[in-house]
Amino acid sequence: MKKLLLCSLLASSLLYGTDRAYEFGVNAGMTSIKNEDSIKLENPTFGLTIQKNRAGLKPRFDFEYVSIDNDKVTFNGQTKDEVSSLIKGSINGVYEFMPESNFFPYILAGLGYENVSDPRKEKGEEFESHPFMQGGAGIGYRMGNNKLVLRAEAKMFQIIGGDRDEENEIIAVLGLGIPFGAATEPKLQIIDSDGDGVMDELDKCPDTPQGVVVDGSGCPLPEPKVIKESIPTSFDDNECPVKIDGEDRDRDGVEDSLDQCPNTPCDFSVDAKGCPVKANLRIHFETDKARITSHSQALVEKFADFLVTNKGSLVHIVGHTDFRGSDTYNMILSKKRARSVRDALIDLGVSSSRLSTEGKGESEPMATNKTDEGMALNRRIEVKLTYPQEINQGGKK
């Protein structure tokens, strides 16, 4: 039964470990009891912990058992250890540095009570139990997307009000933490002083006037380029690059003589027949919301016009985010933004039966998340087009 309970607890943590409300820990190590002259880690120690996961100082309860192997005493005709074991319970505060990193150092401090098992109690000469205070430090490592936690920890223990010579202990343990409980969903706090949709810490132009459209770094976008009507342009009115030397009127990379979809926007990657397959649309949303900005509305309208004109495709809309915020938060936001684009397309005349949505959160970046430019690329809407079976077999589009 105990093995089944432990396996169930481990399995639940592997499935639901990220951002859990509590952490149950088991640990083992050694304790130095008589260390006034030198530290001798020679007493086996076993412990259990329960920690509340939250921002800032985390409360933790520790229960520890220390087995003692020391001097013998004889009374009533029996020879026994001077002290056979220590049992301690304590309440501590734990503060983690770099809590978003897989490797994180931490410190702790707390108060507790030590119960001493002493065979001399019958003679009134017992090794007394006392309250104590303790402090320590450790380092943790989160495995498997913040699910299981390995910890190495050392603590200094000091008796309160004792009259014994050895009033302190040093404890060193290795432990395993298992998250459990209801998931927490941290809220991303965003400050945008100039109201341009870019948070202050990423805003390279912090005093942009109200109403000015900005790029991913918070700086005003350049005036739209004036493109001749004869030159193909993308959904956001940029001139399409030339991809091949041959005749390619829509500049999709497939020669006109082979192109079965001759008016494909150059935003799309195409198949061998020149028909659109996938595109990454730079649709911008209001900060921390799924509402499409007025600047991106024109792009959505052009994409809707294309779908209404070319009715032979099914469209799968996938939302992506950068790495800021938790996995859960980004997954929810990406799903909402994909559905927002779908609803906008339906309002613009695209049949709902052609549209499906999905959110990938931060799981599939297309660029580095270490730069503003990379994060801007990762915040995207990806559209994938598929076609009925008769089209795939070369039927009429």
Side-chain angles (χ1 to χ4, degrees):
M1 184 65 183
K2 291 181 179 179
K3 289 184 177 180
L4 179 59
L5 180 61
L6 179 59
C7 290
S8 299
L9 185 58
L10 286 171
S12 65
S13 71
L14 290 172
L15 289 172
Y16 305 106
T18 302
D19 298 328
R20 311 309 292 183
Y22 298 93
E23 180 185 310
F24 170 74
V26 294
N27 58 67
M30 302 296 289
T31 297
S32 177
I33 301 297
K34 297 183 178 181
N35 51 63
E36 66 277 7
D37 297 326
S38 63
I39 297 174
K40 297 179 181 180
L41 295 170
E42 56 188 8
N43 303 108
T45 300
F46 306 94
L48 301 174
T49 63
I50 293 288
Q51 176 174 293
K52 168 65 175 177
N53 289 328
R54 65 178 187 181
L57 195 65
K58 304 176 187 292
R60 191 180 89 179
F61 173 76
D62 292 9
F63 174 84
E64 292 170 312
Y65 171 83
V66 181
S67 177
I68 307 299
D69 181 14
N70 53 23
D71 299 335
K72 304 288 185 178
V73 296
T74 302
F75 62 93
N76 293 339
Q78 295 182 336
T79 300
K80 298 184 178 180
D81 290 336
E82 182 181 16
V83 178
S84 60
S85 65
L86 307 176
I87 297 177
K88 295 180 288 186
S90 60
I91 298 176
N92 304 276
V94 179
Y95 185 82
E96 297 177 355
F97 301 92
M98 302 185 297
E100 301 301 324
S101 174
N102 283 343
F103 279 103
F104 59 96
Y106 61 92
I107 57 176
L108 63 93
L111 297 172
Y113 188 82
E114 177 185 68
N115 182 68
V116 179
S117 175
D118 190 338
R120 296 176 298 167
K121 288 183 179 180
E122 299 174 21
K123 300 173 63 178
E125 300 176 1
E126 68 269 16
F127 202 40
E128 295 180 349
S129 301
H130 279 289
F132 63 85
M133 58 184 177
Q134 67 179 1
I139 187 167
Y141 173 66
R142 294 185 177 92
M143 302 184 298
N145 195 21
N146 296 345
K147 291 168 184 171
L148 296 179
V149 182
L150 290 177
R151 293 181 184 270
E153 182 175 297
K155 296 185 291 187
M156 182 71 179
F157 164 103
Q158 179 65 52
I159 288 291
I160 300 175
D163 57 2
R164 51 187 260 211
D165 293 335
E166 300 81 31
E167 293 185 343
N168 63 77
E169 299 175 12
I170 294 177
I171 305 170
V173 296
L174 294 176
L176 175 67
I178 305 171
F180 71 98
T184 59
E185 185 176 326
K187 295 183 179 180
L188 182 63
Q189 183 178 7
I190 294 178
I191 300 176
D192 180 14
S193 300
D194 57 3
D196 61 358
V198 179
M199 60 194 305
D200 285 358
E201 63 183 79
L202 300 178
D203 200 335
K204 294 183 178 180
C205 301
D207 299 317
T208 304
Q210 289 289 331
V212 176
V213 179
V214 300
D215 58 19
S217 62
C219 294
L221 288 170
E223 292 294 327
K225 295 181 180 179
V226 178
I227 307 299
K228 295 181 180 179
E229 292 184 359
S230 59
I231 299 177
T233 60
S234 63
F235 287 127
D236 54 1
D237 288 330
N238 290 319
E239 180 179 346
C240 295
V242 177
K243 298 179 181 179
I244 59 174
D245 294 334
E247 293 292 326
D248 183 14
R249 185 176 58 185
D250 58 4
R251 296 187 179 182
D252 63 356
V254 177
E255 287 190 13
D256 291 345
S257 60
L258 303 175
D259 200 335
Q260 297 185 19
C261 302
N263 297 311
T264 300
C266 64
D267 304 77
F268 283 93
S269 58
V270 298
D271 59 17
K273 301 174 184 178
C275 293
V277 176
K278 184 174 72 172
N280 287 309
L281 304 182
R282 307 310 307 160
I283 297 175
H284 297 281
F285 300 85
E286 292 184 8
T287 303
D288 200 29
K289 297 179 180 179
R291 186 178 299 168
I292 299 170
T293 63
S294 57
H295 176 68
S296 294
Q297 189 62 35
L299 187 153
V300 177
E301 291 173 359
K302 288 184 179 180
F303 182 51
D305 290 340
F306 167 76
L307 294 179
V308 171
T309 304
N310 299 270
K311 300 181 182 295
S313 62
L314 302 178
V315 185
H316 188 56
I317 305 166
V318 184
H320 298 268
T321 70
D322 60 31
F323 80 114
R324 292 171 297 173
S326 69
D327 293 351
T328 302
Y329 179 88
N330 288 334
M331 181 63 71
I332 293 173
L333 183 60
S334 65
K335 290 179 179 180
K336 288 182 178 180
R337 288 180 171 179
R339 289 194 291 266
S340 179
V341 173
R342 177 201 61 188
D343 295 341
L345 293 174
I346 293 173
D347 291 341
L348 292 167
V350 181
S351 172
S352 60
S353 63
R354 298 175 61 189
L355 305 176
S356 60
T357 63
E358 183 181 7
K360 290 294 185 68
E362 65 183 72
S363 63
E364 294 183 4
M366 63 182 298
T368 179
N369 274 308
K370 295 181 179 180
T371 65
D372 295 346
E373 294 79 10
M375 287 190 289
L377 291 173
N378 292 333
R379 298 190 299 270
R380 67 192 190 278
I381 292 294
E382 186 179 78
V383 291
K384 299 178 181 179
L385 274 59
T386 56
Y387 303 89
Q389 187 67 22
E390 60 270 18
I391 295 179
N392 292 335
Q393 295 175 350
K396 185 177 180 181
K397 181 174 168 69

